[in-house]
Amino acid sequence: MIENRLPLNVKNLSFSFEEDEEKKLKNISFSASKGDSIFVLGPSGAGKSTLTLCLNGLYPEAVDGSLNGEVQIFGRDLSSFETGEACQYVGVVFQNPDNQFCMLTLEDEVAFGLENINYPKENMEERIDEMLSLVGLLPYKQSSISILSGGQKQKLALACVLALQPDILILDEPTANLDPASTKELVSLVSTLQEEYKFTLLVIEHKLDDWVHLIKRCLVFNKDGEMILDTSLEDCFKHHYELLIEHGTWIPHISSLAYTGIEKGWYKKGALPLSMEEFLKGLQSSPPFFNRKKKKREKETLIDVQDVSFSYQKKGPSLLTNLSFKIGRGEIVALIGTNGAGKSTLSTLLSRLKKPSSGQILLENKNLKEWDEKTLRQKTGYVFQNPEHQFVTDSVFEEVAFGLRLQGLLEEEVTEKTKHVLEVFQLLHVRDQNPFSLSQGQKRRLSVATMLVDEQSFLILDEPTFGQDAQTTKELLTLLDQRVKDGTTVLLITHDMELVHEKADRVLVLHEGKLLFNGPTEFLWEEQALLEKANLDLPLEIKVQCALEKEGDLLAT
């Protein structure tokens, strides 16, 4: 390595898959210096993950594709690297860490990478301990990876990459599946590690707020795979926010709230804020969300959960303990809690994919186990956390059309509705592709689309918005609102407190398999001790209200 050369230099990079006419990346050029911290932003399908795989040498080596232009690592062209050599310079933590694990225990997983670079055996044990200690996982050294929570798996993936001492670290949607506390913990860890090791950092992310203090620069892509902006983080969000919004790219929540205020007249025009302090200075009047009226909640019961517990073995530990609650017809109920709290397990019980160890679940006053399979599936729909678990056909078009045909619609109507839904979810251009060949974001959109076109009266949506850009999320929620307006009941499993605050009528909080809270959404934000116990965060609007009350500036209502 030559110290005075740039760690990363990209010149006129273009990439396309063999079967596609359109390029995924078009003439991308940028460079990064040692210690740089950079956001890679853009809508779903903009080529951000493709860029990652081009930078670490997996593309075009691992796929049928064509790469033009240059990628240089410390002045050396990436094409000259031996297979796998680039991974010693460019480390990647992918969106789903399970996809990059290949061993059973934490110790073996870290060792695997070290063995592949011929790390001295006599020093390997010390190196493994050092890396696991860095991410707080040393006590789990000999444990199975399968027992880790989502947040712990992200930390393990980070430890495996850092063990190779890469000069460049790329994080691809690292917090997509993490609860608020785990997100803050991961960002803090990355910040500490970068300060110590001085690696160049690229972060592909939709959840921006927790990273703002660490990131110094932004690369912005459009949906056509073109880089449309390369500037400082402050300039990007304060002065180019209209460009970002136009291209469906997320901006920090504090900036987005101020932008809404400018449109509504209660926030001053000009540069958008990036901190609470900056936000408060720009207020011209009391924000209208302080005056939201409580929603009426007298609803006919659709789901009745009665003293339900669950464990995988009769004498094994209980994953869910004595849960009792009701869900009313036409409600949106949010199910929240930390990674590993039991949310997805509960959702499988509610959809009868698993059976309770004790207690019972009623749907329309009838025990769930008494419903015949066909009728139950006509009444309940489930969007899995992993979208691949629900695909049943070999094309995107047929995946959406499948549910419409079950409704007995004429083929002409099936075709028309399917095309409309695919257009709304930005999937029309991949209508003939196999669902399993899609990007992670596209798979998620397809899984949600298949449920929203069906006519089930009860929908369970497990993280429906994760990994989605701003525009797609907005369109998805519009369709969801319409379904609820038509009488559909929704159980929304999410880590997004902004989504909970905006959409949920009521909230269920799970913690270590027990129900900590069951009540109206606005009442939850008053339970500070409970929020701390469950490692949850307040939504931004409530934080603003608390900050103004603390300063004594909240206008009388």
Side-chain angles (χ1 to χ4, degrees):
M1 164 187 328
I2 300 174
E3 289 296 331
N4 63 354
R5 290 187 175 174
L6 291 171
L8 180 62
N9 194 13
V10 179
K11 300 178 181 179
N12 301 317
L13 174 66
S14 295
F15 180 84
S16 60
F17 292 103
E18 192 173 88
E19 68 274 13
D20 291 342
E21 293 182 9
E22 282 292 315
K23 293 180 179 179
K24 292 292 290 184
L25 295 171
K26 298 178 182 176
N27 299 316
I28 306 302
S29 296
F30 70 93
S31 60
S33 301
K34 183 177 180 178
D36 273 357
S37 52
I38 302 170
F39 265 148
V40 181
L41 306 173
S44 299
K48 302 183 297 294
S49 294
T50 299
L51 174 66
T52 295
L53 296 170
C54 290
L55 296 183
N56 78 341
L58 282 177
Y59 282 4
E61 184 75 24
V63 295
D64 293 326
S66 174
L67 186 153
N68 296 309
E70 295 180 62
V71 177
Q72 294 180 349
I73 308 296
F74 289 102
R76 181 181 167 192
D77 198 283
L78 195 60
S79 61
S80 70
F81 283 65
E82 297 292 331
T83 300
E85 184 185 358
C87 294
Q88 297 177 48
Y89 295 89
V90 184
V92 180
V93 176
F94 293 100
Q95 187 178 100
N96 184 352
D98 284 322
N99 291 345
Q100 63 192 94
F101 296 148
C102 53
M103 306 302 286
L104 296 177
T105 69
L106 279 73
E107 178 181 28
D108 290 343
E109 189 63 40
V110 180
F112 179 79
L114 293 172
E115 288 169 350
N116 275 283
I117 63 169
N118 295 316
Y119 196 84
K121 287 187 177 181
E122 61 272 18
N123 300 331
M124 194 173 292
E125 187 80 16
E126 181 182 353
R127 183 68 175 164
I128 292 170
D129 288 353
E130 179 189 358
M131 290 300 103
L132 291 177
S133 179
L134 266 178
V135 298
L137 291 177
L138 189 57
Y140 300 90
K141 178 180 176 180
Q142 296 177 337
S143 300
S144 170
I145 294 173
S146 63
I147 72 165
L148 300 181
S149 70
Q152 289 171 323
K153 286 179 178 178
Q154 286 286 18
K155 290 178 183 178
L156 174 59
L158 186 60
C160 293
V161 169
L162 291 176
L164 307 182
Q165 295 181 295
D167 298 282
I168 302 163
L169 178 63
I170 305 177
L171 305 179
D172 190 352
E173 294 281 3
T175 67
N177 293 313
L178 300 187
D179 61 62
S182 296
T183 294
K184 292 180 184 298
E185 196 174 338
L186 181 70
V187 174
S188 177
L189 175 62
V190 171
S191 179
T192 300
L193 293 174
Q194 191 195 27
E195 189 173 338
E196 181 175 350
Y197 292 100
K198 309 300 181 186
F199 50 73
T200 300
L201 176 67
L202 276 71
V203 179
I204 301 170
E205 184 64 280
H206 289 305
K207 294 160 62 176
L208 308 178
D209 295 71
D210 290 311
W211 295 95
V212 166
H213 73 282
L214 173 60
I215 303 298
K216 300 294 185 284
R217 179 176 160 205
C218 296
L219 307 178
V220 182
F221 289 68
N222 64 17
K223 63 181 179 60
D224 297 320
E226 300 166 322
M227 193 169 74
I228 57 175
L229 192 63
D230 179 357
T231 188
S232 70
L233 178 134
E234 189 161 320
D235 181 59
C236 180
F237 293 126
K238 288 191 173 187
H239 303 292
H240 296 281
Y241 52 86
E242 290 183 334
L243 176 69
L244 301 180
I245 293 168
E246 177 190 343
H247 287 277
T249 300
W250 287 108
I251 62 176
H253 284 115
I254 195 82
S255 308
S256 181
L257 185 59
Y259 181 74
T260 299
I262 291 173
E263 290 184 318
K264 303 293 184 182
W266 51 264
Y267 199 88
K268 72 178 182 180
K269 294 181 180 180
L272 294 188
L274 289 171
S275 67
M276 181 65 73
E277 183 181 2
E278 290 178 352
F279 178 86
L280 297 179
K281 291 178 180 177
L283 283 173
Q284 296 186 143
S285 61
S286 181
F289 50 77
F290 292 162
N291 305 316
R292 284 182 177 167
K293 294 181 179 179
K294 304 291 188 290
K295 299 175 182 178
K296 295 181 180 179
R297 294 185 178 82
E298 294 179 6
K299 302 278 188 179
E300 173 192 355
T301 298
L302 179 71
I303 300 290
D304 190 357
V305 176
Q306 300 178 356
D307 203 26
V308 164
S309 296
F310 177 81
S311 60
Y312 282 106
Q313 299 173 338
K314 285 187 177 181
K315 295 184 179 180
S318 183
L319 299 180
L320 298 172
T321 306
N322 304 124
L323 302 184
S324 295
F325 60 88
K326 296 179 180 181
I327 299 177
R329 193 179 296 275
E331 276 192 311
I332 298 181
V333 176
L335 176 59
I336 63 177
T338 57
N339 293 105
K343 303 184 295 298
S344 293
T345 300
L346 176 57
S347 69
T348 60
L349 298 182
L350 293 171
S351 59
R352 208 178 71 181
L353 296 177
K354 292 187 177 78
K355 296 179 181 179
S357 302
S358 62
Q360 63 178 356
I361 300 173
L362 307 182
L363 171 64
E364 296 179 348
N365 294 317
K366 181 178 177 181
N367 196 307
L368 210 57
K369 65 183 181 181
E370 296 174 1
W371 287 87
D372 68 88
E373 187 69 19
K374 182 178 180 180
T375 306
L376 181 63
R377 298 309 159 204
Q378 289 173 343
K379 287 187 172 289
T380 63
Y382 186 11
V383 173
F384 290 82
Q385 188 174 47
N386 185 340
E388 294 181 353
H389 290 171
Q390 69 189 77
F391 295 150
V392 295
T393 72
D394 58 5
S395 81
V396 170
F397 184 91
E398 290 300 317
E399 197 68 36
V400 176
F402 182 82
L404 293 172
R405 291 193 180 107
L406 290 180
Q407 298 174 28
L409 300 179
L410 296 174
E411 193 61 27
E412 184 179 336
E413 193 173 358
V414 169
T415 299
E416 183 181 342
K417 284 193 172 185
T418 300
K419 285 183 176 178
H420 172 69
V421 169
L422 293 180
E423 187 173 7
V424 168
F425 282 87
Q426 300 176 41
L427 293 170
L428 193 58
H429 66 293
V430 293
R431 56 175 290 172
D432 297 322
Q433 287 189 29
N434 190 298
F436 291 93
S437 72
L438 301 178
S439 70
Q440 280 299 114
Q442 290 170 331
K443 287 175 183 175
R444 168 53 68 195
R445 297 206 294 278
L446 179 59
S447 68
V448 174
T450 58
M451 286 299 111
L452 291 184
V453 298
D454 288 343
E455 294 183 335
Q456 294 100 330
S457 57
F458 179 45
L459 289 179
I460 302 171
L461 307 180
D462 197 343
E463 292 288 357
T465 61
F466 95 85
Q468 298 307 309
D469 61 50
Q471 186 59 37
T472 306
T473 298
K474 181 180 178 180
E475 290 166 351
L476 186 158
L477 295 178
T478 298
L479 287 176
L480 186 62
D481 285 341
Q482 185 58 52
R483 285 296 302 271
V484 172
K485 187 178 179 181
D486 294 339
T488 300
T489 302
V490 176
L491 181 69
L492 186 65
I493 304 172
T494 184
H495 291 308
D496 186 345
M497 297 299 103
E498 307 301 328
L499 182 59
V500 172
H501 182 58
E502 181 184 352
K503 293 297 179 184
D505 300 306
R506 291 193 304 112
V507 182
L508 305 171
V509 179
L510 271 186
H511 182 64
E512 297 179 349
K514 298 178 181 179
L515 194 61
L516 284 190
F517 181 86
N518 174 14
T521 305
E522 63 270 17
F523 292 170
L524 174 63
W525 313 133
E526 300 170 2
E527 301 287 341
Q528 190 58 43
L530 185 150
L531 292 170
E532 290 178 5
K533 182 177 181 179
N535 287 324
L536 299 173
D537 201 7
L538 289 171
L540 179 59
E541 289 186 1
I542 302 301
K543 288 180 179 178
V544 170
Q545 186 168 345
C546 292
L548 286 172
E549 288 175 343
K550 186 176 180 180
E551 289 190 358
D553 290 337
L554 182 59
L555 303 180
T557 57

